[in-house]
Structures are given as structure tokens and as C-alpha cells.
Amino acid sequence: MAVTEPAPAAISAAHSAAHEGILRRQSARESAARTYARALPIVPVRARGLTIEGADGQRYLDCLSGAGTLALGHNHPVVLEAIRKVLESGAPLHVLDLATPVKDAFTTELFRTLPRALADRARIQFCGPAGTDAVEAALKLVRTATGRDGMLAFTGAYHGMTAGALDVSGGAQDVRVARLPYPQDYRCPFGIGGADGAELAARWTESLLDDPKSGVPLPAGMILEPVQGEGGVIPAPDGWLRRMREITAARTIPLIADEVQTGVGRTGTFWAVEHSGVVPDVMVLSKAIGGSLPLAVVVYRDDLDVWPPGAHAGTFRGNQLAMAAGAATLEYVRENGLAERAGVLGTRMLTQLRSLAAEHPCIGDVRGRGLMLGVELVDPAAAAPVPGPRSVNHGPVPPAGSAGSSGSAGVSGGTSGGTSAGHPLPAGAAGAAGAARPLALDRFPRPLPPAPELAAAVQRECLHRGLIVELGGRHSSVVRLLPPLTITDEQAAAILDRLADAISAAARPHHG
Ligand code: PLP
């Protein structure tokens, strides 16, 4: 008897029913704390490179990349081959922290990529498989090595979800953690952005450390992200990073660079600290180093290696498949110059995003480094408040040369290591007619209020157009792009086309 093929319509109806059923069961059974699954109701069943295919047959360009994990995209052939090789070799898959040839090869490849001055004296601690566990290990390491307790951390930071990592993240309230301003142009805590804003942030740090009555005793370490990812794609200026290095070195404070998200070529250099030439004492690495499988390590200078055996343990520290996939990924990125490619393509995409910003008043700022890009959505209808006795008026635009004085998508700051372009304040917000006394800072525009609902609408419109993007930033108002480093020029153009369409569609109701 001949087998009759089901009609395509029947196939797609069956797929669609399976897809709906899985999503329904997920929302009935999984935790209220689930995250990405809420904004992205898709059921991935196949993936390759930039593309994910859902159970409903829909295809998506994936610019979330496992929250920045997939340097080579989904299922890259070199990664699959490395995994297959281990599986077929008969090697044990679970080995605690014992030595294996796979681990040895991973460590050799990783050390090869590290800043030379660190690699020459590096030790590595394999941690539990999440980035947050490596952050915990780093905190423990420097506390043990210095015999001190406090930590310096930054506004807007994100280091993970375990207790110690949360303490050093932006939303925390641990009294042992002193919170320092992270420099940024668009929402500069000092209102001026640029090199001056970053220098003020550095001086605040110095004054806290040197003032015996600041309430901040000499800390065990400083932890920072070279580009804040979850905090809203904020690249630290290179000069500021060097200042942090000088300030910490002069006071024997170990500097911990959290490169969980910025590592493995993402920002245009293999490690983001290389842009500034800073050599940290400790680096926390995860995400892309496992080649899409879970792996997290701390690497640090050997003189810090004074913690006792078992100081940081964990059953799953020997993931052989992740080490093999990770070594293959590190080698592929290194040999194929993917960091440089990310730098060049990222700069081009940033320029295109700036043009988009010039067309859309709801884009407050565009920024990023390499293929870590962010578009901050704001409410252009809301006049920014003016402090003190001054009232909002419609006076002159800020003087030429001041930040944000250009017609649209003006440069806000502009001296950061990464790049940032923001809209000027609506004319008048910086003016001071009738003011008691103009402040020097009045010439610097205030940013417009964030627009988280609009950002969520953009994310939904992107998904309708087959584009997966993440939201981040303090107010979840930053659309984040973290595409694989392997994307082609054509794919980059497709991403930006879909994003532009999505922003137009989402912004329409807001403008009338
Ligand atoms: N550090 C940074 C900079 C991160 O971006 C993240 C996660 O996004 C973490 C640490 C925590 O990593 P994980 O989610 O694997 O625990």
C-alpha cells in the first residue's frame, strides 16, 4: 500500500499544535521566575549559526545568542566535531577536577589567548559551570589573599545570581560592598559624560579610598565589567579603566575583570581589557569559553594563590564536552581573526544604528563595542525636568560644541572606549531664562526618560519579523544585539533592516 504524505497544511497545523502545547505546558509547570521564555514564546527545535527554527516552522535570526554565549553561533561544525571526538574516544565525561588530556588542551589554548603579563604567571580555578560561581570564587580568592573583606563594585553592574555575585551587582545592598559610579555618557551620574565624566568617577573612587572617614575601609578587591552588558551595553572608557588599574595597583587592591560576557572576541579584541592595555589581577570567564556548553573559570596571578585546598569546590567542575567545545571555539576565534571582524562589523553596525537614531526621536542613545550593541529607547514626548528653581522653558539649544548640541543623534560624550551617540535634550531643557543662577552644568543636556514599554514593544515587533533580541539596561529599555561573531555582512544587514522596521512599527502608536 502506498504511503500518502500528509499535505503541507496538515504538517504546519500539527507543528503549530505541538508548539502551542509545549508553550502551554511550560507556563503551567515552570517557575514564575522564568525569564527569557516570557518575552520569547518560541520553541527552538533546530539551529545553525545565526538561525533558529521553531517547532511551528518559523525561522528567527538569533541576536540573543544564549545571552552572549554563542561566539560561533549555534552548532558550529568545529564545535560539533570537538564534542563528537570526545564522545567517540571513550573518555570519561565526569571527572570532578582531575587532570585529563581534554582539560590540559583547553587550559593551554585559554592561556594562549590571555594578556601576556597575566598568562606568564596565571593560575586557573575550574568552577561550578555558571559564571556566577566563578564570580563567587574570585571574591573568595581576593578576600583570602588580602585578608580584607570589603569589595568595590559599580552602579549598574551585573555579576550573577548567587549571593556574593548579587552583592556586587547593581541592585544589591550589602554593607561590605562600596558602590562606585560607572562612567557613562548618556546617563552620566555627573551630567557631563565624556572624558570629564569618567575622570570625575575616578576621582570619586580615589577620594573614597583615601579619605579615612569615607566609611570605606581598604577593600579586598574591585570588580568591574569592561563593558556593562546587562546594565545596558555601556563600554568603559579606556582611560577610565587605566585609572582604575592605577588606583587599585597603588593601593594593593586586586582588580577583578568580569569578562563573562565581553570575552572571546565579542568586543573587538579577544578580551575586552586589551582595548585599554590593562592587565587585571583576576579574570572571571564563562559563557563563550565553553563553546555553548556550561563552563566557568577564574584565572589569576600566582601570588594570589594562597587559598587552601577545597576553598572553592563543586561536583561539576570537569565538564569534558564543554572543555573540548570551548577549546575548539577559542582556537577558531583566534585563528580566524573573529575578534577583529567583530570590531569592524560592530563599528559599521553602530554607524547604521546612529542613522536610525537620527530618524527616530524615541532612540535616545546608541552605543556598544564590537558585536555588543545597544539601542536605548526613550520617551521623546517627556520634557526632561530641570533641577532647582529653574523651570522648563523653550530657550536656546545648548551652545555649539557642548555634548548633544548637534541636530540629531548628537554625540553624547564621545571619548569613551566604546562609542555612543545620543539625541540632544529637547531645546530648552538646558536653558535658564528666569533661573536664579545658571549652573555651568546647564550646558549639558539631560537624557530623556527611559521607555521600557516601548522597548518591550520593539522586542515583540522584532520577534514578529523573525528577529530575537534581548532587553537590558537599568530600566529594561535598551534593545541589545549580541549576534555570533561569524555573521556575514548580509546577515548583519538583515538584522538591522528587521530592527528598523520593528522600531518604526512600535514607535507609531507613541507618536500619534
Ligand atoms: N558576569 C557577567 C558580566 C554576566 O553578564 C553574567 C551573566 O549574564 C554573569 C556574570 C553570570 O553568569 P551566569 O548567568 O552564567 O551565572
Side-chain angles (χ1 to χ4, degrees):
M1 197 175 86
V3 178
T4 48
E5 291 284 334
I11 295 176
S12 79
H15 283 176
S16 177
H19 162 96
E20 292 302 328
I22 290 170
L23 288 179
R24 204 175 44 250
R25 286 189 291 281
Q26 177 181 48
S27 71
R29 301 192 293 211
E30 286 190 27
S31 157
R34 69 193 187 280
T35 53
Y36 301 105
R38 289 178 183 279
L40 302 170
I42 61 172
V43 181
V45 289
R46 250 179 304 279
R48 187 78 169 203
L50 175 68
T51 308
I52 284 186
E53 191 183 317
D56 56 358
Q58 297 293 325
R59 296 172 133 247
Y60 302 90
L61 304 183
D62 179 14
C63 281
L64 175 54
S65 294
T69 301
L70 304 169
L72 306 185
H74 292 274
N75 291 329
H76 192 280
V78 304
V79 170
L80 295 184
E81 178 54 27
I83 293 172
R84 235 178 255 124
K85 224 167 121 187
V86 176
L87 288 176
E88 287 165 5
S89 72
L93 297 180
H94 190 295
V95 291
L96 299 166
D97 67 347
L98 302 182
T100 69
V102 171
K103 186 197 236 185
D104 188 54
F106 170 79
T107 306
T108 302
E109 181 58 42
L110 179 68
F111 279 24
R112 192 167 178 177
T113 67
L114 292 176
R116 186 65 17 233
L118 180 59
D120 287 346
R121 296 185 55 188
R123 291 286 164 132
I124 184 166
Q125 164 75 18
F126 286 84
C127 298
T132 194
D133 190 62
V135 169
E136 298 290 342
L139 302 179
K140 207 182 282 178
L141 175 85
V142 298
R143 284 184 166 134
T144 308
T146 60
R148 305 175 206 140
D149 198 29
M151 292 297 308
L152 301 176
F154 289 89
T155 49
Y158 182 75
H159 298 290
M161 279 285 163
T162 48
L166 275 177
D167 287 345
V168 287
S169 296
Q173 296 177 350
D174 187 311
V175 290
R176 297 179 305 164
V177 174
R179 188 73 46 198
L180 301 169
Y182 192 87
Q184 49 177 318
D185 288 345
Y186 189 58
R187 297 190 187 280
C188 173
F190 306 107
I192 61 176
D196 288 347
E199 176 55 21
L200 285 179
R203 289 191 191 183
W204 174 246
T205 303
E206 277 174 327
S207 99
L208 268 190
L209 289 168
D210 295 344
D211 175 355
K213 299 289 180 195
S214 69
V216 178
L218 192 62
M222 171 189 280
I223 182 165
L224 56 78
E225 297 154 89
V227 180
Q228 284 191 343
E230 304 303 310
V233 195
I234 305 179
D238 293 342
W240 176 85
L241 258 182
R242 287 191 284 271
R243 291 277 281 126
M244 291 304 105
R245 179 64 286 187
E246 286 160 20
I247 290 168
T248 49
R251 293 161 183 80
T252 67
I253 302 168
L255 178 65
I256 305 169
D258 179 345
E259 291 243 24
V260 166
Q261 193 164 139
T262 49
V264 194
R266 171 67 50 197
T267 70
T269 47
F270 206 98
W271 304 104
V273 288
E274 290 169 38
H275 290 291
S276 61
V278 158
V279 179
D281 305 297
V282 182
M283 289 174 74
V284 184
L285 314 175
S286 187
K287 292 197 193 273
I289 65 161
S292 75
L293 297 178
L295 188 61
V297 302
V298 190
V299 290
Y300 52 94
R301 218 186 36 246
D302 52 8
D303 59 310
L304 295 170
D305 198 31
V306 295
W307 49 0
H312 198 78
T315 303
F316 289 107
R317 287 177 293 148
N319 189 335
Q320 299 297 286
L321 294 180
M323 288 174 197
T329 300
L330 297 173
E331 188 182 357
Y332 191 87
V333 169
R334 181 174 56 74
E335 286 194 336
N336 291 279
L338 291 190
E340 294 75 19
R341 162 75 181 159
V344 170
L345 186 56
T347 302
R348 196 186 312 148
M349 289 176 79
L350 206 52
T351 304
Q352 287 159 346
L353 288 169
R354 279 203 191 117
S355 305
L356 197 62
E359 291 163 23
H360 291 281
C362 65
I363 299 181
D365 196 22
V366 166
R367 51 186 182 254
R369 198 153 208 187
L371 288 175
M372 195 168 176
L373 299 165
V375 176
E376 179 160 348
L377 293 159
V378 294
D379 181 0
V386 171
R390 287 173 295 280
S391 57
V392 174
N393 62 52
H394 295 280
V397 292
S402 71
S405 63
S406 57
S408 65
V411 173
S412 60
T415 50
S416 67
T419 17
S420 173
H423 277 288
L425 192 71
R437 184 173 62 85
L439 288 174
L441 285 182
D442 282 344
R443 65 201 166 84
F444 295 102
R446 285 181 163 250
L448 291 164
E453 283 172 20
L454 177 60
V458 169
Q459 189 184 34
R460 278 193 302 276
E461 293 292 345
C462 282
L463 197 65
H464 287 156
R465 288 160 179 77
L467 177 66
I468 297 173
V469 296
E470 188 181 9
L471 296 185
R474 271 73 156 173
H475 306 276
S476 295
S477 58
V478 179
V479 173
R480 303 188 54 203
L481 300 178
L482 289 161
L485 314 185
T486 47
I487 56 169
T488 62
D489 291 350
E490 292 70 33
Q491 287 174 320
I495 291 166
L496 293 184
D497 277 355
R498 291 182 197 192
L499 178 62
D501 271 4
I503 292 176
S504 297
R508 225 168 275 133
H510 288 75
H511 297 297

